[in-house]
Amino acid sequence: MTRNLLRAASAFIAFSSFATTAASVSGYTPLNQDPLLESHIDRIMIAAERGTVKKPLAINSLKPAYHKVCNVQQRRAPAVLRACLEVKKYLKKVDSGRYINHASIDLKLRKSSDLYEMQPAMTLANRRGESFDSSWSVQGQMVLNFGEYLAFSGGVKGWQGETNLEDTYISIGVPQAQLDIGYKPHWLSPFKQSAMLLSTHAPSFANISLANNVPLTSWNINYELFAGQLSNSDKIRFEGQYTSGKPLITGMHLSIAPFDGFTLAVNRVLQSGGDQRGTPSISEIIDAFLDPSGADNTSDDLSIDEQFGNQAASIVSRFDFNAAVPFSIYLEYAGEDTSRGTNYRLGNTSLSAGLVIPFVFNSLSLNYEYSQWQNAWYGHHVYVDGLQNEGSLIGHFAAEQRRRLSSIAGESVGATHHNLTLGWQVSPSNRFEFNYNQTKNEPLASYDYVTGRQFEVNWFGVIDDWDTRIILFTGKNTLAEKHSGLTLSVAW
């Protein structure tokens, strides 16, 4: 299947190179790796009425938004002016063709208590599987451009006892069709704190993706197709017993922005194959994509062994308002399955809503996000370990706050989640962020869960010319496991 994808992608790139005179692969902005820079980029994108609905953001898509915002009257807003200055420095570094995209080292003190016996150890939210009790972690990414059509990204993330090749991939192509091969991350959501379908909570899996790095046509169309392999699972059902294998994951993103300030997107992920279940052909993947109900819902005509696998989908809308105080509203409706035997109704649904105000009274910012999901999310009757990679769920981090004694996916339980983040720019080089998370599982579960709460304070500043971040947090999860910690992070 990988060979077929490569042939198709190569043919498409060859066609595109003849169809246009523009030629440039694009790097990507950091994704949950440089939070201060990422907040400045988000501020620019919202002010340009081009808020993102998937990440990582291609740098070729950031540049037009930067020029639109930073070369006009909006520079008079102090928060936007600061964002323009920081993004300008970043783009200047990128234009050199050889640059460090991000690099940091974290030193940590951790304390936890009342741990649930046999429950997997806690991991940090959206930190690519990083364990809670690690006393240090390091991450970095260097990008090398070789002309206009080829680039190499070399990255790594490590902590005690674990190392991943995060952000290590090769990029080839043109703006209309860029092929990335390696450990490129994916985030299929406009939300900043969580993503139902695919996030950075688990380590990135090896994958091949094809996407445009600049919007297509006046409707600003963006697409992405990807295929990869998840980590090994010992709980894949086949012929009445468990088999062990590495499931295939394929996905699609398509978005349009017919006018400034409005974006509509659809996302799909499909889990299939694994050891004795075999590897599906491209035609089987297309059939499952077009007829998810017929391919995945068992019936008299379709046994568990014959069904394609596991699917999830989402519909996203985003509204960016460039008022005196710019703000953005975004909504996501997702489903883990189809409903009532139809292909157009989502089952086991999730509803999420978010509001971001990038600056209030010049020095403050506000971000509120809400998610609610029904049961059966991330678990599956064929893939009992669920949508996971290297022991962490690939979607919403708060869904791991459930009993996971018999599988990685754990108990099928619905939940609601709230996140509130308040930012305070004290001075150009000093910023505080106050973050509150709350998770409540449905009372119909077999276990008497509590309401999980976590409060976090971040300080961003400069110490001896080093960009520094200090994080202090405390709280407990829905299993009443208590945790607190202090982190010193230095970036360069």
Side-chain angles (χ1 to χ4, degrees):
M1 176 186 170
T2 301
R3 288 195 297 269
N4 290 335
L5 284 174
L6 282 170
R7 291 192 191 102
S10 299
F12 192 73
I13 289 172
F15 170 80
S16 298
S17 65
F18 285 109
T20 177
T21 56
S24 177
V25 295
S26 175
Y28 299 94
T29 61
L31 175 54
N32 289 327
Q33 292 156 323
D34 190 339
L36 191 56
L37 172 63
E38 292 172 50
S39 68
H40 289 313
I41 292 173
D42 287 340
R43 207 166 284 125
I44 294 292
M45 298 302 291
I46 292 172
E49 299 179 290
R50 297 177 183 176
T52 56
V53 291
K54 82 173 180 75
K55 294 179 181 179
L57 175 66
I59 294 171
N60 280 1
S61 293
L62 169 63
K63 289 179 178 178
Y66 166 79
H67 291 300
K68 178 181 178 181
V69 171
C70 299
N71 294 337
V72 296
Q73 71 276 9
Q74 291 205 39
R75 291 192 59 164
R76 66 175 180 265
V80 174
L81 175 59
R82 182 65 187 176
C84 288
L85 293 174
E86 294 301 322
V87 173
K88 180 180 180 180
K89 289 194 297 184
Y90 174 71
L91 292 178
K92 183 178 180 180
K93 176 177 69 174
V94 166
D95 287 340
S96 69
R98 308 276 197 279
Y99 62 95
I100 295 176
N101 202 32
H102 66 85
S104 64
I105 184 170
D106 294 356
L107 303 177
K108 309 171 184 181
L109 295 174
R110 295 285 188 264
K111 181 180 179 181
S112 56
S113 61
D114 301 328
L115 299 182
Y116 193 97
E117 187 177 358
M118 302 299 293
Q119 180 80 359
M122 290 184 289
T123 56
L124 298 176
N126 300 318
R127 295 283 291 176
R128 296 166 168 82
E130 183 179 340
S131 60
F132 171 85
D133 56 1
S134 175
S135 62
W136 61 269
S137 66
V138 62
Q139 63 181 10
Q141 178 190 11
M142 173 174 282
V143 179
L144 305 175
N145 287 297
F146 301 95
E148 296 182 318
Y149 301 97
L150 176 66
F152 171 74
S153 170
V156 66
K157 179 178 175 64
W159 63 91
Q160 283 179 300
E162 188 69 41
T163 302
N164 296 321
L165 293 176
E166 295 288 339
D167 294 305
T168 297
Y169 51 87
I170 295 174
S171 301
I172 56 176
V174 293
Q176 294 77 16
Q178 176 170 317
L179 191 68
D180 299 306
I181 306 171
Y183 291 87
K184 173 192 168 184
H186 298 270
W187 182 282
L188 297 181
S189 177
F191 287 74
K192 297 180 64 175
Q193 301 294 332
S194 60
M196 290 302 297
L197 265 62
L198 189 54
S199 70
T200 61
H201 185 60
S204 295
F205 48 84
N207 67 93
I208 176 173
S209 66
L210 179 68
N212 57 314
N213 63 49
V214 294
L216 304 177
T217 80
S218 59
W219 280 51
N220 296 301
I221 298 173
N222 286 280
Y223 74 91
E224 182 166 15
L225 304 171
F226 65 87
Q229 192 174 59
L230 298 172
S231 61
N232 189 75
S233 170
D234 295 325
K235 295 186 176 180
I236 303 174
R237 283 203 173 102
F238 186 72
E239 294 184 344
Q241 58 185 1
Y242 285 136
T243 183
S244 178
K246 297 181 178 181
L248 177 74
I249 182 169
T250 51
M252 178 277 295
H253 166 87
L254 179 65
S255 65
I256 60 171
F259 50 85
D260 286 348
F262 172 68
T263 305
L264 182 66
V266 293
N267 302 293
R268 291 279 294 276
V269 294
L270 300 85
Q271 182 183 23
S272 60
D275 194 40
Q276 296 181 39
R277 294 189 69 89
T279 300
S281 65
I282 292 180
S283 62
E284 289 174 325
I285 293 174
I286 294 174
D287 289 343
F289 180 86
L290 297 176
D291 183 19
S293 179
D296 284 336
N297 291 339
T298 56
S299 64
D300 293 338
D301 299 323
L302 188 71
S303 68
I304 289 179
D305 292 342
E306 294 171 329
Q307 75 174 99
F308 174 79
N310 183 22
Q311 299 194 44
S314 68
I315 303 171
V316 171
S317 59
R318 178 163 190 151
F319 304 87
D320 300 306
F321 297 92
N322 186 15
V325 178
F327 67 98
S328 182
I329 297 173
Y330 38 93
L331 305 168
E332 181 180 68
Y333 181 60
E336 190 275 338
D337 201 351
T338 57
S339 176
R340 301 180 185 178
T342 64
N343 289 326
Y344 58 88
R345 289 191 180 99
L346 296 178
N348 299 318
T349 58
S350 166
L351 181 63
S352 303
L355 167 69
V356 57
I357 306 175
F359 58 90
V360 186
F361 305 123
N362 295 330
S363 61
L364 301 179
S365 64
L366 176 70
N367 184 207
Y368 170 72
E369 296 181 347
Y370 165 84
S371 295
Q372 179 274 334
W373 57 91
Q374 296 178 334
N375 60 1
W377 267 91
Y378 305 117
H380 196 254
H381 60 281
V382 174
Y383 300 96
V384 178
D385 277 334
L387 285 165
Q388 63 84 29
N389 189 50
E390 301 294 348
S392 296
L393 298 182
I394 65 173
H396 202 303
F397 71 89
E400 285 193 354
Q401 295 186 35
R402 56 173 78 163
R403 288 203 301 174
R404 300 194 295 145
L405 306 182
S406 59
S407 70
I408 294 172
E411 181 181 26
S412 295
V413 56
T416 58
H417 180 79
H418 302 265
N419 172 267
L420 178 65
T421 302
L422 178 65
W424 178 26
Q425 194 73 41
V426 181
S427 67
S429 59
N430 287 276
R431 178 178 176 83
F432 283 95
E433 285 190 357
F434 306 91
N435 187 280
Y436 173 75
N437 281 291
Q438 177 179 302
T439 306
K440 186 175 183 179
N441 288 338
E442 289 181 349
L444 300 178
S446 61
Y447 179 77
D448 188 17
Y449 294 102
V450 302
T451 300
R453 296 183 175 90
Q454 177 175 302
F455 182 71
E456 179 180 284
V457 180
N458 290 257
W459 173 76
F460 300 89
V462 178
I463 298 178
D464 288 338
D465 294 328
W466 292 93
D467 291 334
T468 306
R469 180 187 183 194
I470 297 176
I471 309 166
L472 177 66
F473 68 91
T474 185
K476 66 178 180 180
N477 61 21
T478 60
L479 293 160
E481 296 177 319
K482 298 177 183 178
H483 51 274
S484 57
L486 175 67
T487 299
L488 171 64
S489 178
V490 178
W492 60 95

